[in-house]
Amino acid sequence: MRTQVAIIGAGPAGLTLGRLLERAGIDAIIIEQRSADYVLGRIRAGVLEQSSVDLLRDLGVNARMDAEGIPHDGVELSFDGDMLRINFHELVGRRVMVYGQTEVTHDLMEARAASGARSIYEASDVAIHDFDGERPRVSFKKDGQHHEIECDFVAGCDGFHGVSRASVPADAISIFERVYPFGWLGILVDQRPVAEELIYAHHARGFALCSMRSHTRSRYYIQVDSSEKVENWSDDRFWDELRNRINPEIAERLQTGASIEKSIAPLRSFVAEPVRFGRLFLTGDAAHIVPPTGAKGLNMAIHDVSVLAGALEEFYAERSQAGIEAYSPTVLENTWRTERFSWWMTQLLHTFPDSGDFGRRIQRADFDYLRASRIARQSLAENYTGFRV
Ligand code: APR
Ligand code: PHB
């Protein structure tokens, strides 16, 4: 088999890149190790920045998003029960769209299937060869048979545990990482959301987040110790703990019910540098991880692949290397800006086991500063809705 771009991974990064390349008339094959159903079974954050919404519209995968997604003009912060609304629209003239990542993935998969573009699911033993030369190859097994794809470029869109980053020699890559001593226990429930907008809550007992997937499906999270096990959390225990951490008047309105999903996600900040190695590019979670506090993971992935698609278009149209050379610095600048914001939201809102009374007072001062200063709120709004230079 031969293609121009071999895309490893059919998550949001790989599928969005596939769509972008298709539109540019560049041939690509997606190689994914799981089944399509497995990929669609993953539940992840669901806040789209305006620029992500615009890109999905541009790519013609917006019908369901525009019908079912919920535009939000702001978010609520809660600090020991004191509420502060951040009005994005008034502060920076932008809003965000609440639409689940699972739905974005579903829409992209459907569009790809309809277009007839090639995707190979359930590929095992995926390996990348010769990406430091001009003729990279990707090999894999499918139904017991060995296959090989010759290509011009390899796009590593295979997430944090993928083969792309792992294929790079250790001395060619630097890793910057912070692992937080807690995770998020999340619950999905078919009940009306407790509020119209998302509520990010700091509490001495730990962080909590009230989010949603639709007007009838809610998503809630609470901070738990890294060592916690899902089995220790009955639905009732979860609801009691959530009520404790949010404003009491809001807690009274909480519609509880049997969970339809419950899981714990660890929190991590992670950056790989650089993100291009010859003709191999890292994108999305393969290149960086943010803690979910700023809802940035999906938006960063979409940003990366739009930069990459632009670079590849330039290469094929003009035989210019300029975009390819610029890929790593451009992506890293956005990555670090977004890492900083996600880290800042995380440290403002969570309870840290070792921060002591001083740390807690600083968190309160940070919240009071937001309450007092329009400029501070504007900075939060600018970053949350997606800051691009
Ligand atoms: N070969 C082929 N495919 C692979 C391999 C491999 N060796 N390893 C992983 N994959 C696939 C995974 O099965 C998955 O479908 O790559 C895909 C990567 O998808 P994601 O993990 O969703 O990563 P990405 O597309 O970068 O999306 C980033 O996902 O994790 C969230 O918060 C993150 O919202 C962000 C988004
Ligand atoms: C979610 O709805 O899953 C969600 C929303 C906002 C976040 C993280 C997760 O910051």
Side-chain angles (χ1 to χ4, degrees):
M1 269 182 276
R2 150 123 210 114
T3 189
Q4 290 174 294
V5 183
I7 301 176
I8 321 282
L15 288 164
T16 305
L17 179 63
R19 186 84 183 158
L20 282 159
L21 295 181
E22 216 184 307
R23 194 186 54 168
I26 299 171
D27 189 61
I29 302 180
I30 296 185
I31 305 116
E32 161 63 52
Q33 69 177 4
R34 305 287 190 171
S35 68
D37 283 346
Y38 181 95
V39 172
L40 288 175
R42 292 193 286 238
I43 297 182
R44 280 160 176 181
V47 179
L48 295 172
E49 294 172 1
Q50 185 65 54
S51 62
S52 302
V53 170
D54 291 345
L55 184 83
L56 293 169
R57 284 192 183 135
D58 207 28
L59 292 175
V61 282
N62 56 308
R64 219 159 55 92
M65 175 183 76
D66 282 330
E68 296 173 19
I70 315 171
H72 281 200
D73 279 353
V75 290
E76 299 271 2
L77 301 186
S78 162
F79 203 98
D80 295 340
D82 295 344
M83 303 296 292
L84 170 65
R85 175 153 191 259
I86 309 292
N87 186 334
F88 302 146
H89 196 246
E90 181 242 336
L91 290 162
V92 292
R94 291 201 293 260
R95 39 174 69 91
V96 294
M97 172 86 91
V98 171
Y99 187 61
Q101 178 171 320
T102 313
E103 311 312 319
V104 173
T105 309
H106 180 274
D107 297 346
L108 285 162
M109 267 186 189
E110 208 163 63
R112 186 167 181 88
S115 76
R118 288 182 286 177
S119 309
I120 297 157
Y121 283 90
E122 298 178 88
S124 63
D125 301 334
V126 178
I128 309 169
H129 315 274
D130 301 339
F131 53 82
D132 48 355
E134 294 207 342
R135 287 271 157 262
R137 285 172 300 117
V138 175
S139 62
F140 61 93
K141 266 199 199 149
K142 166 89 184 166
D143 301 328
Q145 299 245 348
H146 178 85
H147 298 270
E148 222 165 82
I149 300 178
E150 289 177 6
C151 55
D152 302 331
F153 297 99
V154 180
C157 306
D158 48 353
F160 187 61
H161 301 287
V163 67
S164 300
R165 199 182 62 251
S167 304
V168 174
D171 60 2
I173 193 165
S174 302
I175 300 297
F176 301 86
E177 186 170 31
R178 174 158 300 180
V179 177
Y180 300 89
F182 41 72
W184 282 13
L185 170 62
I187 210 170
L188 192 66
V189 62
D190 275 329
Q191 290 289 351
R192 195 158 45 79
V194 70
E196 283 191 5
E197 293 180 341
L198 271 59
I199 303 173
Y200 288 86
H202 171 96
H203 190 275
R205 295 178 66 91
F207 168 78
L209 170 62
C210 307
S211 182
M212 65 195 72
R213 289 290 173 273
S214 69
H215 294 297
T216 55
R217 179 168 286 189
S218 306
R219 179 81 168 151
Y220 296 99
Y221 298 93
I222 54 172
Q223 172 188 348
V224 293
D225 193 82
S226 299
S227 60
E228 270 296 349
K229 298 270 174 290
V230 172
E231 306 81 78
N232 296 337
W233 288 86
S234 65
D235 289 355
D236 284 342
R237 183 176 174 206
F238 181 94
W239 295 124
D240 286 344
E241 190 57 39
L242 178 65
R243 275 195 210 92
N244 271 326
R245 297 185 187 188
I246 58 179
N247 172 292
E249 279 169 35
I250 293 172
E252 260 180 44
R253 299 204 298 265
L254 186 69
Q255 306 268 321
T256 63
S259 61
I260 48 178
E261 196 265 352
K262 200 191 294 167
S263 55
I264 295 180
L267 264 69
R268 181 193 299 271
S269 297
F270 176 98
V271 181
E273 282 188 6
V275 290
R276 179 180 70 90
F277 306 87
R279 290 188 166 223
L280 168 65
F281 302 88
L282 304 182
T283 78
D285 279 15
H288 41 66
I289 296 285
V290 284
T293 327
K296 290 295 174 199
L298 173 59
N299 295 293
M300 288 170 93
I302 290 178
H303 173 267
D304 294 354
V305 298
S306 62
V307 175
L308 178 54
L312 294 172
E313 260 187 88
E314 197 179 312
F315 174 83
Y316 285 113
E318 302 163 26
R319 289 281 145 189
S320 160
Q321 294 278 345
I324 287 172
E325 299 284 341
Y327 176 75
S328 192
T330 306
V331 161
L332 282 168
E333 189 186 341
N334 182 63
T335 299
W336 279 112
R337 185 167 50 240
T338 314
E339 289 284 345
R340 183 208 68 83
F341 175 66
S342 304
W343 165 85
W344 175 77
M345 285 277 281
T346 302
Q347 60 85 31
L348 171 69
L349 293 167
H350 290 73
T351 299
F352 285 77
D354 298 326
S355 72
D357 289 342
F358 182 83
R360 280 187 283 277
R361 285 287 207 276
I362 290 288
Q363 284 175 311
R364 179 75 215 189
D366 220 348
F367 178 76
D368 288 342
Y369 177 51
L370 280 170
R371 207 159 44 170
S373 162
R374 179 184 164 89
I375 292 176
R377 289 194 298 283
Q378 213 165 13
S379 166
L380 196 168
E382 175 174 72
N383 281 282
Y384 194 96
T385 59
F387 181 58
R388 299 275 182 271
V389 275

